[in-house]
């Protein structure tokens, strides 16, 4: 039987078991904050992609592999970060709750409880999903509209990001970004996170000792606490161990004594009568527990026992970011609208397309990962369909008008492939004159191609042909029968030369983003989509 699927935030907040104390608004405000924060991040990230800053991008809503940081997961690549992942947990407070700033008690609870802002809780989740082999840059964000008390600056230092950095979305939502500082109260935090990890280890050992279930030697905690475990147990058989006498008599202040206290406490919580200490055994699969020579270690016993977990604590503190004081969910909606690119004509339709995409991912309908391909499809779904339909209609109208004006002429498709290609190339080059200014053409075209454009203009000026798509020249400007024909042919030229460095650079420039080129972009995007 397959395990039950993880419930999404929508299921959890709106299910029949929701707390009776939650009002309708408090059931939904967290989801709206999550969704609208996702919209801001999605639009901001896509804008960076169009500028060439983020060549690779995907956004996952409710990532099952991300533990507590599962609300929004961004996987990306940039010029400075070949492989990066940002994990975000979104926590929204209603205006009625948001009167007091968050204090030390909100973040640093004595136990790794489930309070919304508990740093020990997030570290425990970090340990659960720690993958030593994972490479690339990682950031773990706790994002909230709540502010923090000034005294919290004993723990945190402010971070700033360049506008080209993906984390610059923090500025867009009016939030302040903080990371842990290594001075002040960091030592107290460090010890607290040590305690959390040791409690987690003690509970693991007690549970498996009670049930007799085998412990995987590749378990993160077993590997991180290898030295302490090896000092605490002795081998009975190849993969069966029992706690040493020194473990049961260790002083409470020592690492072994602290672990013993936790094991005894957790073991006592479990059912069945407590056996004699000698009978408590652990089975560890593929056991490679080597008895270390602690006396040969030049450092302290604490350093010897906690060396590996300390490295992970430092890593967590380096990767954790507190993003607080953001706008509320209602204000984030207007921010998201403002991030829509200026070249999008149907802003409402496109925004609704993107919002539906996010909502479906949040609900777990289909895939919960949004790719660049899907984003591009949603951006061009409304605009490009409209543009291609208009092109088709105007093309039919154009040829019908020619038939009406010249009924004695039979229109035929040019069958000679060479002649067709020559005519097409002439239309492509003439379209560039209409759609792009002289400076842009100098960027896009080689000297040879610019001479070819000049010859096309001269030939068109000398021609008396009035039945084609291009009707003539006026003030050195080709006159297409409909502007949309020039837009289509300009997009076709860009598509044919899409890998040319000059074209790639131009598509990332401000010139390409001008409103008057919106339909050119529509056509180009759809051509890319169609391959």
């Amino acid at each position: 039987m397959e395990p039950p699927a993880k419930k999404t935030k929508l299921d959890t907040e709106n299910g029949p078991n929701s707390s009776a104390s939650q009002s309708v608004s408090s059931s939904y405000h967290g989801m709206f904050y999550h969704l609208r924060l996702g919209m801001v991040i999605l639009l901001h990230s896509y804008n960076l992609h169009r500028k060439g800053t983020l060549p690779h991008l995907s956004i996952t809503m409710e990532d099952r592999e991300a533990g507590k940081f599962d609300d929004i997961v961004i996987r990306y690549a940039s010029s400075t970060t070949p492989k990066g992942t940002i994990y975000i947990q979104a926590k929204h407070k209603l205006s009625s709750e948001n009167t007091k700033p968050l204090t030390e008690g909100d973040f640093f609870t004595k136990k790794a409880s489930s309070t919304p802002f508990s740093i020990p809780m997030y570290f425990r989740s970090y340990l659960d999903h720690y993958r030593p082999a994972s490479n690339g840059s990682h950031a773990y964000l706790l994002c909230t509209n709540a502010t923090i008390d000034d005294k919290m600056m004993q723990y945190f230092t402010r971070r700033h990001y360049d506008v080209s950095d993906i984390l610059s979305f923090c500025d867009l939502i009016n939030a302040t970004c903080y990371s842990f500082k290594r001075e002040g109260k960091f030592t107290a935090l460090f010890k607290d996170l040590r305690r959390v990890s040791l409690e987690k280890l003690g509970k693991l050992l007690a549970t498996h000792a009670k049930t007799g279930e085998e412990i995987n030697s590749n378990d993160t905690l077993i590997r991180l606490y290898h030295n302490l475990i090896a000092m605490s147990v002795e081998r009975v058989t190849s993969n069966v161990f029992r706690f040493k006498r020194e473990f049961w008599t260790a002083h409470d202040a020592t690492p072994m004594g602290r672990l013993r206290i936790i094991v005894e406490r957790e073991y006592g919580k479990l059912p069945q009568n407590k056996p004699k200490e000698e009978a408590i055994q652990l089975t560890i699969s593929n056991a490679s527990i080597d008895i270390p020579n602690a006396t040969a270690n030049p450092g302290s016993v604490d350093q010897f026992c906690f060396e590996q977990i300390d490295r992970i604590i430092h890593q967590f503190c380096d990767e954790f970011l507190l993003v607080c004081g953001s706008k509320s969910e209602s204000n984030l909606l207007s921010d998201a609208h403002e991030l829509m690119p200026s070249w999008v004509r149907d802003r409402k339709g496109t925004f609704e397309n993107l919002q539906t995409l996010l909502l479906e991912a949040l609900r777990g309908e289909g895939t919960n990962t949004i790719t660049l391909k899907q984003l591009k499809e949603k951006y061009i779904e409304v605009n490009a369909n409209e543009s291609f339909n208009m092109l088709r209609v105007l093309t039919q109208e154009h040829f019908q008008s020619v038939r009406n004006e010249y009924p004695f002429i039979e229109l035929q498709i040019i069958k000679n492939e060479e002649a067709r290609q020559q005519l097409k190339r002439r239309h492509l080059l003439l379209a560039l004159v209409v759609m792009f200014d002289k400076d842009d053409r100098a960027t896009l075209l080689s000297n040879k191609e610019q001479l070819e454009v000049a010859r096309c203009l001269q030939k068109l000026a000398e021609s008396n042909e009035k039945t084609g798509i291009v009707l003539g020249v006026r003030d050195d400007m080709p006159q297409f029968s409909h502007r949309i024909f020039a837009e289509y042919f300009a997009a076709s030229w860009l598509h044919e030369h899409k890998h040319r460095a000059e074209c790639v650079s131009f598509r990332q420039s401000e010139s390409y983003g001008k409103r008057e080129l919106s339909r050119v972009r529509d056509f180009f995007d759809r051509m890319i989509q169609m391959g």
Side-chain angles (χ1 to χ4, degrees):
M1 181 180 294
E2 293 185 1
K6 176 183 174 182
K7 289 187 177 182
T8 67
K9 182 171 290 189
L10 293 181
D11 297 327
T12 304
E13 293 184 344
N14 303 316
N17 296 323
S18 296
S19 171
S21 63
Q22 287 184 315
S23 64
V24 173
S25 60
S26 64
S27 296
Y28 280 94
H29 75 93
M31 183 270 289
F32 283 130
Y33 182 69
H34 181 180
L35 178 64
R36 289 164 183 174
L37 176 64
M39 277 295 290
V40 170
I41 292 172
L42 181 146
L43 290 164
H44 173 62
S45 301
Y46 187 66
N47 288 342
L48 291 178
H49 167 72
R50 287 191 62 86
K51 293 176 181 178
T53 305
L54 294 177
H56 301 288
L57 172 70
S58 71
I59 296 177
T60 303
M61 306 291 281
E62 296 287 351
D63 192 320
R64 294 176 176 84
E65 302 299 320
K68 292 294 182 182
F69 297 92
D70 63 340
D71 284 347
I72 304 169
V73 177
I74 311 165
R75 294 176 175 86
Y76 69 98
S78 69
S79 56
T80 57
T81 307
K83 182 179 180 181
T85 309
I86 299 172
Y87 302 88
I88 301 175
Q89 171 64 209
K91 289 295 180 186
H92 185 266
K93 294 187 75 175
L94 286 170
S95 55
S96 58
E97 305 170 335
N98 198 21
T99 54
K100 295 182 179 179
L102 300 172
T103 65
E104 190 173 9
D106 293 300
F107 290 103
F108 306 111
T109 50
K110 290 297 181 184
K111 295 182 179 180
S113 63
S114 57
T115 53
F117 299 97
S118 168
I119 299 299
M121 175 186 69
Y122 288 110
F123 177 63
R124 186 169 59 178
S125 173
Y126 183 86
L127 282 178
D128 285 338
H129 296 83
Y130 175 72
R131 300 290 182 271
S134 61
N135 54 5
S137 169
H138 299 83
Y140 294 81
L141 275 62
L142 176 56
C143 188
T144 178
N145 64 320
T147 57
I148 60 173
D149 187 88
D150 290 342
K151 293 180 180 178
M152 293 305 300
M153 296 312 294
Q154 299 174 88
Y155 293 96
F156 294 108
T157 184
R158 189 166 181 174
R159 297 285 296 271
H160 300 276
Y161 295 96
D162 186 79
V163 292
S164 62
D165 194 296
I166 189 169
L167 285 171
S168 60
F169 78 83
C170 297
D171 291 330
L172 297 176
I173 62 175
N174 207 31
T176 305
C177 190
Y178 297 99
S179 62
F180 285 118
K181 60 170 60 172
R182 290 297 183 93
E183 61 271 1
K185 288 201 171 184
F186 183 76
T187 301
L189 168 65
F190 195 85
K191 289 181 178 178
D192 201 30
L193 297 185
R194 260 191 187 180
R195 175 186 55 78
V196 169
S197 65
L198 198 60
E199 286 183 348
K200 192 171 176 62
L201 173 66
K203 187 172 183 178
L204 173 72
L205 297 179
T207 301
H208 283 270
K210 175 73 76 168
T211 62
E213 292 181 9
E214 194 173 66
I215 300 175
N216 189 333
S217 60
N218 289 321
D219 182 280
T220 298
L221 283 172
I222 299 298
R223 285 186 289 102
L224 294 177
Y225 274 110
H226 173 275
N227 287 351
L228 177 57
I229 294 171
M231 288 174 60
S232 303
V233 301
E234 57 188 3
R235 195 183 300 272
V236 178
T237 63
S238 61
N239 63 340
V240 176
F241 298 81
R242 66 185 171 202
F243 291 107
K244 293 179 180 178
R245 172 56 52 188
E246 294 94 317
F247 175 81
W248 298 112
T249 59
H251 190 279
D252 291 356
T254 64
M256 208 185 303
R258 280 177 270 170
L259 178 61
R260 186 204 73 243
I261 292 171
I262 298 166
V263 170
E264 287 180 327
R265 184 187 69 217
E266 295 297 331
Y267 197 95
K269 291 179 181 178
L270 299 170
Q272 302 176 14
N273 295 327
K274 180 179 178 181
K276 293 182 179 180
E277 294 169 351
E278 308 85 62
I280 300 178
Q281 295 184 338
L282 297 169
T283 303
I284 304 177
S285 68
N286 302 316
S288 58
I289 302 296
D290 300 318
I291 308 303
N293 184 2
T295 58
N297 189 282
S300 66
V301 175
D302 268 26
Q303 180 183 347
F304 181 69
C305 293
F306 294 114
E307 180 181 6
Q308 294 300 318
I309 193 66
D310 286 355
R311 179 175 55 82
I312 304 306
I313 293 173
H314 278 293
Q315 184 174 311
F316 169 75
C317 291
D318 288 341
E319 295 176 345
F320 178 84
L321 294 172
L322 174 63
V323 180
C324 60
S326 78
K327 296 179 180 179
S328 65
E329 88 283 2
S330 55
N331 292 329
L332 286 178
L333 182 62
S334 58
D335 282 358
H337 277 287
E338 291 175 6
L339 285 171
M340 288 291 293
S342 59
W343 48 264
V344 176
R345 288 198 309 278
D346 186 356
R347 299 172 69 83
K348 181 180 179 182
T350 304
F351 189 89
E352 289 177 353
N353 279 344
L354 295 172
Q355 188 164 246
T356 299
L357 190 66
L358 267 184
L359 189 57
E360 288 174 350
L362 183 58
R363 288 182 178 276
E365 298 173 1
T367 178
N368 58 348
T369 296
I370 300 167
T371 64
L372 267 177
K373 181 181 178 182
Q374 289 173 296
L375 278 178
K376 291 177 180 178
E377 287 173 353
K378 291 299 179 183
Y379 264 109
I380 67 178
E381 193 170 83
V382 175
N383 297 324
N385 284 343
E386 175 189 335
S387 298
F388 270 98
N389 285 336
M390 187 181 299
L391 177 67
R392 177 178 53 80
V393 170
L394 290 177
T395 300
Q396 292 172 346
E397 289 180 356
H398 169 76
F399 285 113
Q400 187 59 49
S401 67
V402 173
R403 290 189 184 96
N404 293 340
E405 189 170 354
Y406 304 98
F408 49 86
I409 296 178
E410 182 180 353
L411 298 177
Q412 293 182 337
I413 297 175
I414 300 175
K415 295 182 179 180
N416 183 281
E417 183 61 25
E418 183 179 354
R420 286 178 59 192
Q421 291 301 323
Q422 288 178 353
L423 182 61
K424 177 185 175 182
R425 181 165 179 80
R426 187 179 74 170
H427 287 155
L428 295 178
L429 293 173
L430 292 174
L432 298 183
V433 179
V434 175
M435 300 311 306
F436 305 132
D437 62 29
K438 187 176 180 180
D439 290 339
D440 288 337
R441 294 200 303 273
T443 299
L444 291 168
L445 299 171
S446 66
N447 291 336
K448 182 179 179 181
E449 288 169 330
Q450 292 183 59
L451 289 174
E452 190 177 355
V453 169
R455 286 196 295 270
C456 287
L457 284 171
Q458 183 178 358
K459 185 175 181 180
L460 182 62
E462 295 170 352
S463 173
N464 292 321
E465 176 63 61
K466 301 296 181 184
T467 60
I469 290 175
V470 186
L471 303 179
V473 179
R474 182 184 303 162
D475 298 328
D476 294 328
M477 182 64 66
Q479 302 298 303
F480 281 77
S481 57
H482 290 288
R483 179 179 173 84
I484 196 171
F485 294 151
E487 292 167 330
Y488 173 78
F489 284 119
S492 296
W493 191 92
L494 290 175
H495 183 255
E496 287 187 7
H497 301 84
K498 59 182 179 291
H499 297 304
R500 186 185 286 187
E502 292 80 4
C503 290
V504 173
S505 176
F506 174 71
R507 294 199 309 273
Q508 296 169 357
S509 69
E510 291 184 6
S511 295
Y512 187 62
K514 292 186 292 188
R515 182 174 292 275
E516 54 265 34
L517 295 182
S518 61
R519 195 173 280 128
V520 173
R521 291 190 297 270
D522 291 345
F523 283 132
F524 176 81
D525 288 343
R526 180 51 63 92
M527 291 171 187
I528 290 292
Q529 182 187 357
M530 294 187 298

